[in-house]
Amino acid sequence: MENFRSLNDLRPGTTVAEDIYANTVFPILRKGTILEMEHIETLYLFNIKQVKVEDRIVSRVQTDQQSAIDSDTIKSDVDQILNENVSRTVDIQTMYIKAVNQYKKEFSSWRSGMKLDIAKVRLIIMPLLETFMTHKNSLVILNEYSNRKDYLYHHAVSVGIVTAVLANELGYPKGTTLQLGLAGTLADCGMAKVNPVLLEKAAFLTNNEFIEVKKHPIYSFQMIQDSSLLRQEMKLAVLQHHERLDGSGYPRGDKSEKISPLSQILAVADVFHAMTCERVYRAKESLYRVVEMLKEEDFGKFDIDVLNILSELIGTPAAGDKVLLTNGESGEVTTINHKTPLRPSIKLKSNGEVVDLTTDYSIAIEKLVVK
């Protein structure tokens, strides 16, 4: 028999009776999954209210045996999906959610006065860095994992990932790439020293409140400066990750050659993830719109080579691609505008009308639709 069960009533060993989605292209849990506590935590994070389950409980021995069988099956499925250029996999989601939860615990300890242990953070983030550097196409779904309540922790983990993938694509040695990814994860650790009320405030901050929040790169630098596990140039990148090439950044207003190349990679990763996620005080933007804004509206603030790599990673739409637009319409790319490749002409599915996105900047591509 099958029935629906609320999350509070779920127990390890329960079998999922149907694929579970959370506004995602692929299921966050597949039919036939035998639940572990880690799965149940994932369901809570995605705000799933109830689950259709089979009316039986599998014993722990059965679960372990099935897990051994399923691990090979899941790996095969993941390889197949990634080979087909599809980003979302249950394995990566599970790894990611686990890392966010672990980082959240560490952050809470820093907030309570405990000393930052970089070795612990390194253990949390390194498996994800390695995974995303191998499967870089998964980068485009990071913002979909985030939620408003736990944005701060999602942001830390995601910035580390995006930073490492960018550095890897730019040709940096693997050791440097992994170190920079770790630095990206630690860039906002100083937020633990900022008044929590300011971080959770839905309204815009006052000038004095914003001045306090802008001290977080200094706090982050202070928290990591004595560790031998992070190279000095990585510590500088953390301190400078909110500096801008035109001198408009903070905390010191450094500009151009005074800003290290590594910090510029971290800066792009930081602002890209922030702008593509829903935060307490701001709605999220589409990946394509953000890249467009960073290249055009914020021209001169960021390293153009890093932005070009980011653009390549999220992918340029091609003729024939199915897309979802930010106004909710869907359609097919008909013509590429070579001067503005992120703004092609789209034939709308609803009425067959062809819309040139270069004529209406209030609309942008939300995402490519997997065929």
Side-chain angles (χ1 to χ4, degrees):
M1 288 182 61
E2 298 175 351
N3 55 66
F4 285 93
R5 196 169 294 176
S6 71
L7 252 61
N8 290 333
D9 295 330
L10 289 179
R11 298 290 181 271
T14 304
T15 303
V16 175
E18 64 182 11
D19 288 347
I20 301 172
Y21 294 82
N23 294 320
T24 54
V25 177
F26 295 94
I28 60 172
L29 284 181
R30 296 188 181 277
K31 178 181 178 180
T33 298
I34 299 169
L35 293 178
E36 301 284 351
M37 282 306 300
E38 201 169 76
H39 295 133
I40 297 172
E41 289 175 5
T42 299
L43 294 172
Y44 271 107
L45 283 168
F46 279 97
N47 201 30
I48 303 298
K49 302 298 184 185
Q50 59 179 11
V51 176
K52 191 175 184 180
V53 300
E54 296 181 10
D55 196 17
R56 64 189 179 94
I57 299 291
V58 178
S59 71
R60 184 70 188 176
V61 173
Q62 286 177 293
T63 301
D64 290 343
Q65 291 173 339
Q66 186 64 41
S67 294
I69 296 170
D70 285 348
S71 64
D72 291 335
T73 304
I74 290 172
K75 186 178 187 304
S76 175
D77 288 344
V78 169
D79 288 341
Q80 180 182 351
I81 289 170
L82 289 167
N83 286 338
E84 293 172 354
N85 219 17
V86 178
S87 311
R88 188 171 313 271
T89 68
V90 175
D91 276 359
I92 290 178
Q93 279 184 322
T94 303
M95 286 178 65
Y96 173 86
I97 295 300
K98 182 177 180 181
V100 170
N101 287 335
Q102 290 174 327
Y103 178 86
K104 183 177 181 178
K105 290 178 182 177
E106 292 302 307
F107 189 90
S108 296
S109 72
W110 308 332
R111 184 170 271 173
S112 66
M114 295 287 289
K115 186 177 180 181
L116 186 151
D117 186 343
I118 291 184
K120 281 187 178 181
V121 180
R122 187 169 64 177
L123 286 174
I124 291 169
I125 197 64
M126 284 301 163
L128 273 177
L129 301 187
E130 295 273 9
T131 299
F132 275 84
M133 284 163 60
T134 302
H135 304 311
K136 59 187 179 184
N137 290 332
S138 297
L139 204 67
V140 298
I141 56 170
L142 273 178
N143 66 315
E144 295 187 22
Y145 294 151
S146 183
N147 61 68
R148 183 186 298 185
K149 178 184 175 185
D150 287 332
Y151 163 76
L152 191 63
Y153 319 115
H154 283 274
H155 185 62
V157 171
S158 293
V159 169
I161 292 168
V162 177
T163 300
V165 173
L166 287 172
N168 188 54
E169 292 301 297
L170 285 162
Y172 282 87
K174 186 173 182 180
T176 300
T177 294
L178 293 176
Q179 273 270 304
L180 191 57
L182 176 59
T185 304
L186 292 166
D188 280 354
C189 66
M191 287 291 194
K193 307 304 179 185
V194 174
N195 186 339
V197 173
L198 301 184
L199 304 182
E200 296 162 9
K201 186 176 178 180
F204 284 107
L205 299 177
T206 67
N207 187 53
N208 287 338
E209 289 171 339
F210 190 41
I211 288 172
E212 175 58 26
V213 172
K214 288 199 296 185
K215 293 177 182 175
H216 80 267
I218 298 173
Y219 298 148
S220 296
F221 180 78
Q222 290 171 341
M223 290 170 68
I224 64 176
Q225 65 178 337
D226 294 331
S227 175
S228 60
L229 296 179
L230 205 60
R231 297 180 202 161
Q232 196 61 36
E233 60 266 35
M234 306 303 167
K235 297 172 186 177
L236 178 61
V238 167
L239 178 64
Q240 291 186 322
H241 77 279
H242 277 290
E243 301 288 3
R244 300 293 180 256
L245 291 175
D246 63 358
S248 63
Y250 62 87
R252 300 186 302 190
D254 290 341
K255 63 187 301 186
S256 54
E257 69 279 355
K258 289 187 177 180
I259 304 175
S260 79
L262 295 180
S263 73
Q264 279 304 298
I265 299 172
L266 208 165
V268 169
D270 175 74
V271 73
F272 172 72
H273 183 260
M275 292 176 70
T276 56
C277 289
E278 185 178 5
R279 290 171 280 173
V280 172
Y281 56 89
R282 183 174 293 172
K284 67 179 181 179
E285 296 277 1
S286 82
L287 308 182
Y288 297 95
R289 178 69 180 125
V290 168
V291 170
E292 186 177 68
M293 291 166 69
L294 295 180
K295 281 189 170 185
E296 297 176 10
E297 296 176 24
D298 288 330
F299 180 77
K301 294 180 183 291
F302 300 96
D303 187 320
I304 192 62
D305 291 334
V306 181
L307 292 178
N308 286 338
I309 290 293
L310 177 62
S311 184
E312 290 176 12
L313 285 167
I314 69 168
T316 301
D321 282 347
K322 310 293 185 184
V323 297
L324 177 67
L325 302 178
T326 53
N327 65 354
E329 291 267 17
S330 60
E332 180 178 323
V333 177
T334 58
T335 308
I336 300 299
N337 298 308
H338 295 289
K339 289 186 178 179
T340 53
L342 298 182
R343 291 197 159 272
S345 294
I346 309 292
K347 183 178 181 181
L348 299 181
K349 184 178 180 181
S350 60
N351 57 17
E353 178 187 353
V354 176
V355 177
D356 183 351
L357 296 185
T358 62
T359 64
D360 187 353
Y361 270 69
S362 68
I363 306 172
I365 292 175
E366 179 70 37
K367 62 182 177 181
L368 299 182
V369 178
V370 179
K371 298 178 182 178

